[in-house]
Amino acid sequence: MGHMVLDALRALPPILVLILAFLLPALEASVMLGVIFPGEIAILVAGADAQAGRLSLPAVLVAGVTGAIAGDVVGFALGRRYGDRMVARLPARLVKPEGVQTARDLLQRYGAVAVVMGRFTALLRALVPGLAGMSGLRWRTFVPYNILGGTVWASGVALLGYLAGASLSAVESKLSLVSEIVLAAVIVAAVAVYLRVRARRRSSRV
């Protein structure tokens, strides 16, 4: 499926690719599109178009970074306002309860730093901003971490696309693998923390 999406995006006029490089990352957290479709693919293609001279690399960087930051701001605001109702509306076939719990555990353990860490896997990009808003994280804490995470992630993906050029398929596959590894590592860490806390509670009762 990833290769088909890449081919479809690369067939679009460059200006549409640039618009999608802003729009898809913006929708990842604001409407949780990231649970279905990773916005990084549009930024990758836009970066490759810049390498081919069809787009300006600075324009691609601005589109990707502003889309990523804006989408998470909306997701955070929705989480603060609608809380658990927003999570309850997520289709169970797309977002398993353990995925939501993993994002919650990440926020509980790392706080605002989780906003940056969550950038590097599509599922957490979609969930962490809203859950951060629900957790009571303050705007003044969220915003700088969001700007940092959005800038590092979107710039890195755009530059990967630029350097890869025609080899986008291989890069996209590696990014997907990295995303899966990061998510697996977060789940393992969350389970380890849970077991440790549970063991401490049992020992304190003895």
Side-chain angles (χ1 to χ4, degrees), residues 12 15 27 30 33 35 41 57 64 66 73 76 80 94 117 121 126 132 156 164 169 186 191 193 200:
L12 295 174
I15 188 61
L27 294 174
S30 58
L33 179 69
V35 301
I41 295 181
L57 181 58
T66 54
V73 166
F76 182 78
R80 285 175 68 90
L94 295 176
M117 296 171 63
T121 177
S169 295
V186 169
V191 170
V193 170
R200 285 179 181 174

Side-chain angles (χ1 to χ4, degrees), residues 1 11 18 22 33 35 38 40-41 56 65 90 97 102-103 108 112 145 151 155 159 167 175-176 178 183 185 189:
M1 180 180 176
L18 186 62
F22 167 83
L33 179 69
V35 301
E40 64 195 20
I41 295 181
S56 160
V65 169
L90 292 173
T102 296
Q108 186 174 8
Y145 282 94
T151 301
S155 299
L159 291 173
S167 304
L175 272 178
S176 297
V178 169
L183 183 58

Side-chain angles (χ1 to χ4, degrees), residues 120-121 174-188:
F120 297 93
T121 177
K174 289 178 181 177
L175 272 178
S176 297
L177 178 61
V178 169
S179 178
E180 291 170 4
I181 291 172
V182 170
L183 183 58
V186 169
I187 291 173
V188 169

Side-chain angles (χ1 to χ4, degrees), residues 1-12 17 41 45 166 168-169 172:
M1 180 180 176
H3 296 335
M4 293 175 61
V5 173
L6 276 177
D7 292 340
L9 287 174
R10 297 182 80 175
L12 295 174
V17 174
I41 295 181
V45 174
L168 273 187
S169 295
E172 192 271 336

Side-chain angles (χ1 to χ4, degrees), residues 134-154:
M134 291 166 54
S135 73
L137 193 68
R138 295 183 178 183
W139 275 105
R140 66 185 182 187
T141 304
F142 170 78
V143 169
Y145 282 94
N146 179 41
I147 291 172
L148 173 63
T151 301
V152 171
W153 172 75

Side-chain angles (χ1 to χ4, degrees), residues 90-116:
L90 292 173
R93 62 188 177 84
L94 295 176
V95 182
K96 303 298 182 185
E98 54 266 30
V100 175
Q101 189 58 48
T102 296
R104 289 184 188 274
D105 291 341
L106 188 67
L107 281 162
Q108 186 174 8
R109 184 174 186 186
Y110 296 104
V113 177
V115 175
V116 179

